[in-house]
Amino acid sequence: MAGNQETISIEDLLNKNLSGVELDEATRILYGKKLEELNLSEEAHKLAERADFELAGYIFEAKPEQTRAARKVRIGAIQNKIVAPTTESVVTQRDALHSRIGVLIEAAVLSGVNIVCMQETWHMPFAFCTRERLPWTEFAESAENGPTTLFCKQLAKKFGIVIISPILERDENEVIWNTAVVISHTGEVIGKTRKNHIPRVGDFNESTYYMESTLGHRVFETAFGKIAINICYGRHHPQNWMMFALNGADIIFNPSATVGGLSEPIWPIEARNAAIANHVYTVAINRVGTESFPYEFTSGDGKPAHKEFGHFYGSSYVAAPDGSRSPGLSRIRDGVLVAEVDLNACRQVKDSWGFRMTQRLDLYAKELQEFIKPDYKQNILKEL
Ligand SMILES: NC(=O)NCCC(=O)O
């Protein structure tokens, strides 16, 4: 908060307070290689203005190669507030989000996007803070043919884009999961992946609602590259990113829902670090706004019961394998971030930094095998 005004973004603070060479130098040190802005269509900009959301785009270059053509892909990251109050019916809330996201996806399409990803459980409020079951569990739906997947399938087919749709899933056995559905540009579901690590921190009371994934680290081969999805809290687990990368992902999306008081200072670091450590592009997406619920809940911190959860601080960004990153979207507005990336950069950085060759996975595999044994003794030497 700057004075009484909510901070728009860290970039806004930098731009307001620095200029010229100083701004360039601060940007170079904080963001890496300077990214050219994408020239997005006037139609897309007009839509963003009319429907009141931010639209920004950047180009991540790779070097030209003699034996491989450039592999350029446009990624779209969508962040948004919920639309209808949480006191409205489940269907009203969900349908309102469907129509809002329809507009944001249209702007992404007008910006030439090939793969679009929404925030975690985008079709519902982040109601897990309440610990109440009804009506929130009614948002859970089939990953294959639930209303949200059907909605995304028709958009994917109409526009010829890949859609990553993170939802709360209820499977055929009535088990609930935190899932991302990957829909091909043909409109067919390629498959789904689920959240591997479930938070038990602050108001993120999610372990009482859904189960930990048993699907491993799936990578989806799409018409526009190999992609994986590391859902929200999974970004604190470096091994999670690593396994998606070892399975061949070029781009790892991190659809999230996280709040200022908990994670804002670490947000710019984690997905960016994962891009560097694993020679991949990462796309960190967070929801926006403060969500108000009908009944008070407590946070187990001695503070009074309350009805509000947030502020979700947006700030979605894209990071490249060389460590450069885009500016973040706003902390307070809905937005579409477009990034044109050349996937050839992944191997180029792999060849120059060489972490795949130096990471000594054999060493860690052996040590971890020992560590998980109940009688493991820490390898500490001390003076006798
Ligand atoms: N949704 C979710 O996993 N949030 C946990 C908070 C965080 O990881 O920042």
Side-chain angles (χ1 to χ4, degrees):
M1 193 93 67
N4 282 335
Q5 287 242 290
E6 190 66 62
T7 300
I8 296 170
S9 66
I10 185 76
E11 293 79 12
D12 184 59
L13 293 183
L14 286 171
N15 289 330
K16 277 187 183 142
N17 291 288
L18 294 177
S19 59
V21 179
E22 287 191 341
L23 179 61
D24 286 349
E25 189 60 350
T27 309
R28 182 187 70 79
I29 294 168
L30 289 171
Y31 291 80
K33 190 171 76 188
K34 193 170 171 56
L35 306 177
E36 205 183 304
E37 283 189 35
L38 258 174
N39 204 357
L40 301 176
S41 76
E42 207 182 309
E43 229 181 325
H45 281 298
K46 279 196 178 140
L47 178 56
E49 203 179 309
R50 226 174 29 245
D52 189 20
F53 61 88
E54 185 184 0
L55 176 68
Y58 302 92
I59 302 175
F60 290 86
E61 306 264 12
K63 294 193 181 93
E65 296 182 14
Q66 292 182 23
T67 57
R68 287 196 305 179
R71 292 185 297 149
K72 295 199 177 174
V73 179
R74 279 201 191 179
I75 299 164
I78 293 184
Q79 66 174 40
N80 62 284
K81 299 181 196 138
I82 54 169
V83 178
T86 57
T87 43
E88 292 285 352
S89 76
V90 166
V91 173
T92 303
Q93 291 183 62
R94 186 189 64 215
D95 288 355
L97 278 162
H98 283 188
S99 34
R100 180 65 174 161
I101 290 301
V103 175
L104 295 171
I105 288 185
E106 197 185 325
V109 170
L110 289 170
S111 306
V113 157
N114 307 113
I115 307 174
V116 79
C117 181
M118 278 80 81
Q119 66 204 21
E120 183 181 19
T121 63
W122 69 269
H123 59 126
M124 62 179 287
F126 218 69
F128 312 118
C129 55
T130 66
R131 302 188 206 97
E132 302 149 3
R133 296 304 190 273
L134 291 176
W136 317 119
T137 52
E138 290 184 70
F139 281 98
E141 58 175 82
S142 159
E144 287 73 25
N145 48 37
T148 301
T149 297
L150 295 182
F151 170 76
C152 290
K153 280 176 72 162
Q154 52 93 12
L155 288 180
K157 186 166 180 186
K158 177 171 165 197
F159 295 127
I161 56 169
V162 169
I163 299 184
I164 301 167
S165 173
I167 60 164
L168 190 66
E169 177 195 2
R170 183 185 294 278
D171 74 11
E172 58 283 3
N173 299 313
E174 300 277 7
V175 179
I176 301 181
W177 308 90
N178 187 318
T179 298
V181 186
V182 180
I183 300 159
S184 162
H185 68 293
T186 61
E188 293 308 312
V189 172
I190 302 180
K192 63 189 174 191
T193 183
R194 292 175 177 151
K195 189 167 178 173
N196 281 323
H197 301 274
I198 303 186
R200 293 157 174 84
V201 59
D203 278 330
F204 293 92
N205 302 315
E206 295 166 44
S207 59
T208 53
Y209 286 90
Y210 59 81
M211 300 301 293
E212 259 114 11
S213 175
T214 53
L215 301 178
H217 293 83
R218 291 180 165 175
V219 169
F220 300 88
E221 183 153 7
T222 73
F224 308 109
K226 287 193 237 148
I227 61 173
I229 303 100
N230 176 358
I231 303 177
C232 195
Y233 188 77
R235 78 180 177 284
H236 312 303
H237 298 270
Q239 301 81 356
N240 207 30
W241 297 100
M242 183 182 77
M243 282 312 304
F244 290 121
L246 292 180
N247 279 329
D250 295 311
I251 310 168
I252 307 178
F253 292 84
N254 176 231
S256 299
T258 186
V259 293
L262 180 69
S263 63
E264 198 162 6
I266 59 178
W267 175 256
I269 300 169
E270 291 176 299
R272 189 180 185 191
N273 184 53
I276 300 165
N278 298 295
H279 309 308
V280 293
Y281 286 95
T282 58
V283 185
I285 306 169
N286 186 23
R287 65 172 61 205
V288 192
T290 298
E291 300 182 3
S292 184
F293 294 95
Y295 305 109
E296 289 184 333
F297 56 92
T298 53
S299 300
D301 58 1
K303 295 196 178 137
H306 49 277
K307 293 183 176 177
E308 295 199 332
F309 190 21
H311 155 250
F312 295 97
Y313 55 82
S315 309
S316 304
Y317 70 96
V318 175
D322 66 0
S324 55
R325 60 153 287 186
S326 74
L329 286 178
S330 158
R331 299 176 68 256
I332 50 181
R333 286 182 82 198
D334 290 7
V336 178
L337 175 65
V338 182
E340 181 177 290
V341 303
D342 182 342
L343 300 181
N344 284 355
C346 300
R347 195 166 85 182
Q348 291 176 11
V349 180
K350 197 175 282 164
D351 287 353
S352 79
W353 274 104
F355 299 152
R356 187 58 56 79
M357 291 187 287
T358 58
Q359 72 186 145
R360 302 291 314 274
L361 289 177
D362 55 335
L363 181 72
Y364 295 103
K366 219 161 73 199
E367 292 193 26
L368 286 170
Q369 272 307 326
E370 291 305 311
F371 180 78
I372 58 174
K373 292 181 183 160
D375 60 349
Y376 180 75
K377 296 264 179 315
Q378 288 179 326
N379 191 356
I380 300 174
L381 301 187
K382 60 181 177 191
E383 191 180 336
L384 294 174

